[in-house]
Amino acid sequence: MGGHPFYRFCRSALQDIRQQGRYRQFTPLARQADRYPVYEYGAVRPPEGRDVVVWSANDYLGMGVEPAVAEAAIAAIREHGAGAGGTRNIAGTSPLHAALEAELADLHGKEAGLLFVSGYVSNQASLQTILTSMPGWICFSDRQNHASMIAGIKGARGSSCVIFEHNDLADLEAKLAAAPRDVPKLVAFESVYSMDGDIADIGATCALARKYGAMTYLDEVHAVGLYGPQGGGVAERDGVADQVDIIEGTLAKGFGVHGGYVTGSAELIDYLRCAASGFIFTTSLPPSVVAAALASVRMVRKDAWRRERMFERVAAFRARLTAAGVPFMPTPSHIVPIPVGDADRCMDISRRLLSEYGLYATPINYPTVPRGTERLRLTPGPFHTDEMMDEMTAALVTLLGLSDQRKVEAA
Ligand code: PMP
């Protein structure tokens, strides 16, 4: 113990990571269900902790603190117990699992759906399984695809991967055209890209894929619940869900609970059910999680006001930033990235927001984004009040040095 060369490797690798400003530190934040987006920092309960307003949560609509969702989880625990008790094939499928899969298939207008233990696993397991199914698959993957998609694509033996430039349809077409005609092809992309907050042209991407006989795989993780008349994502909003072969999503962000899923044709889903290792060989989601997710999806589908309120709050926040001269990346989505451009400065601003202002915004550094494009990623939601927005805007003006800059300009 301790003498193996791997331990020395870890020590020196960690030193490098620290030197490059990439060392990851957890921030202990206890969400207060009745005061979202207020959290207790440093302790589970007041008075030991300190109130912090969180600006970087992915529970975009606050569904995780919605009383009816929490109650559904509690009722399921009372009725069925705490865990699932097995894998999906070994006594771990409850009627709740089947109901949620049917609900998600219906949400996306697909024949069938399949639950996974997380969005990460749904991408990794589905892509790896599809791309190892027949010989010669080529996966055309957007340069900014999420790590979970990359893991699935890289893990697929016998397939190859062609990366196309981010949201660049001309580049995708050139690469599709250059590929051999008679091999199976898949275009894998996202709708809302979470770090830049930009949105793919799903209809045009699917049209290109069709032209070259390719299937399409769309990650709607940052869009489900938020976009479209029923929260079916950007594909629903744009009226093109029927053109996408496989739509993947999470239950952990817009739906506020936990778990991942894919939807598609009944045969494709049946195949994944029988062949995807990451689906078969793991204990299924506990009934409490499935019941809460089912309650959440049903509410989110019918309550358009949640989406409308979120976008109203996003617009209100952008208006404040603009008025105060705080730069932000203009995005067509709900994500508001504040460019900082330096890893140390980004970490420092995030730390000072927390320690001096009681505000939490995650610093996004390399390798999540390219060096030189470090940023704070803010996700205003339905519960961020005008006062919270004023506080955040004023803090950013100070910490980004904008007040000093203005004084210099005025002099
Ligand atoms: N896809 C994308 C684009 C993501 O950003 C994430 C998580 N941040 C995932 C998939 C994984 O989803 P989950 O958190 O449910 O594992």
Side-chain angles (χ1 to χ4, degrees):
M1 288 287 281
H4 194 282
F6 178 65
Y7 294 105
R8 271 201 306 283
F9 166 84
C10 288
R11 223 165 298 139
S12 105
L14 283 167
Q15 219 164 25
D16 290 349
I17 288 171
R18 275 205 180 84
Q19 255 159 22
Q20 292 160 13
R22 291 194 292 122
Y23 187 69
R24 288 166 191 257
Q25 226 137 13
F26 292 138
T27 306
L29 290 165
R31 182 148 74 145
Q32 305 298 297
D34 55 347
R35 294 193 295 152
Y36 193 60
V38 176
Y39 288 55
E40 284 293 317
Y41 170 56
V44 174
R45 281 185 198 88
E48 304 95 58
R50 180 181 162 207
D51 278 5
V52 165
V53 177
V54 169
W55 278 85
S56 292
N58 280 339
D59 183 354
Y60 297 123
L61 300 175
M63 292 309 290
V65 296
E66 170 63 43
V69 171
E71 282 310 319
I74 292 163
I77 289 184
R78 293 234 159 83
E79 195 175 343
H80 307 295
T87 65
R88 286 294 296 271
N89 291 296
I90 306 181
T93 295
S94 77
L96 287 166
H97 290 82
L100 181 54
E101 287 173 338
E103 183 79 26
L104 293 165
D106 188 60
L107 173 66
H108 294 293
K110 300 291 176 201
E111 289 174 0
L114 195 64
L115 288 170
F116 290 81
V117 290
S118 71
Y120 185 102
V121 175
S122 65
N123 274 334
Q124 187 276 327
S126 302
L127 284 167
Q128 179 169 333
T129 305
I130 293 165
L131 297 171
T132 41
S133 59
M134 302 192 298
W137 272 104
I138 303 178
C139 182
F140 297 81
S141 174
D142 187 286
R143 184 174 289 287
Q144 287 192 21
N145 274 343
H146 188 255
S148 54
M149 295 167 90
I150 296 168
I153 295 165
K154 279 195 177 159
R157 273 169 289 112
S159 70
S160 50
C161 175
V162 174
I163 292 170
F164 63 95
E165 295 309 321
H166 176 54
N167 275 348
D168 184 340
L169 291 176
D171 190 50
L172 172 60
E173 173 145 35
K175 285 170 174 162
L176 282 165
R181 277 172 66 96
D182 297 327
V183 296
K185 301 184 190 73
L186 179 75
V187 177
F189 64 120
E190 299 180 21
S191 56
V192 175
Y193 285 84
S194 71
M195 295 303 148
D196 286 349
D198 53 347
I199 299 182
D201 185 337
I202 299 171
T205 307
C206 291
L208 260 189
R210 257 196 319 279
K211 181 171 166 190
Y212 293 92
M215 288 179 65
T216 42
Y217 183 103
L218 176 64
D219 173 317
E220 290 249 44
V221 159
H222 291 275
V224 288
L226 313 183
Y227 296 80
Q230 294 191 55
V234 179
E236 189 203 14
R237 182 195 72 180
D238 294 354
V240 294
D242 60 330
Q243 296 174 36
V244 188
D245 288 290
I246 303 143
I247 296 181
E248 181 269 347
T250 185
L251 298 161
K253 300 187 196 283
F255 297 125
V257 187
H258 192 89
Y261 64 90
V262 294
T263 63
S265 82
E267 266 180 335
L268 174 116
I269 294 300
D270 213 20
Y271 176 69
L272 289 178
R273 202 175 61 77
C274 295
S277 183
F279 173 81
I280 299 170
F281 298 105
T282 187
T283 300
S284 61
L285 288 171
S288 53
V289 167
V290 180
L294 187 56
S296 175
V297 173
R298 286 178 175 160
M299 285 177 90
V300 166
R301 286 186 80 172
K302 73 174 167 46
D303 294 345
W305 64 263
R306 294 176 196 275
R307 287 181 274 289
E308 287 157 12
R309 169 94 182 139
M310 186 195 73
F311 284 108
E312 182 278 322
R313 294 285 75 199
V314 171
F317 184 53
R318 284 200 180 109
R320 277 176 170 71
L321 294 178
T322 305
V326 177
F328 59 92
M329 291 162 60
T331 73
S333 70
H334 59 289
I335 294 164
V336 184
I338 309 284
V340 178
D342 174 85
D344 288 337
R345 186 159 180 248
C346 202
M347 295 251 249
D348 185 55
I349 291 176
S350 172
R351 261 196 297 267
R352 289 186 61 192
L353 276 172
L354 184 61
S355 62
E356 295 171 28
Y357 296 88
L359 302 171
Y360 181 72
T362 316
I364 309 284
N365 286 346
Y366 176 83
T368 309
V369 294
R371 285 200 177 90
T373 71
E374 289 83 358
R375 66 199 68 167
L376 299 170
R377 176 182 178 274
L378 307 189
T379 53
F383 303 110
H384 286 101
T385 62
D386 287 349
E387 295 69 38
M388 290 172 182
M389 292 187 179
D390 290 337
E391 275 173 30
M392 179 50 107
T393 306
L396 287 172
V397 166
T398 305
L399 296 179
L400 289 166
L402 298 171
S403 40
D404 303 341
Q405 197 176 312
R406 240 173 269 146
K407 271 183 229 147
V408 171
E409 279 166 14

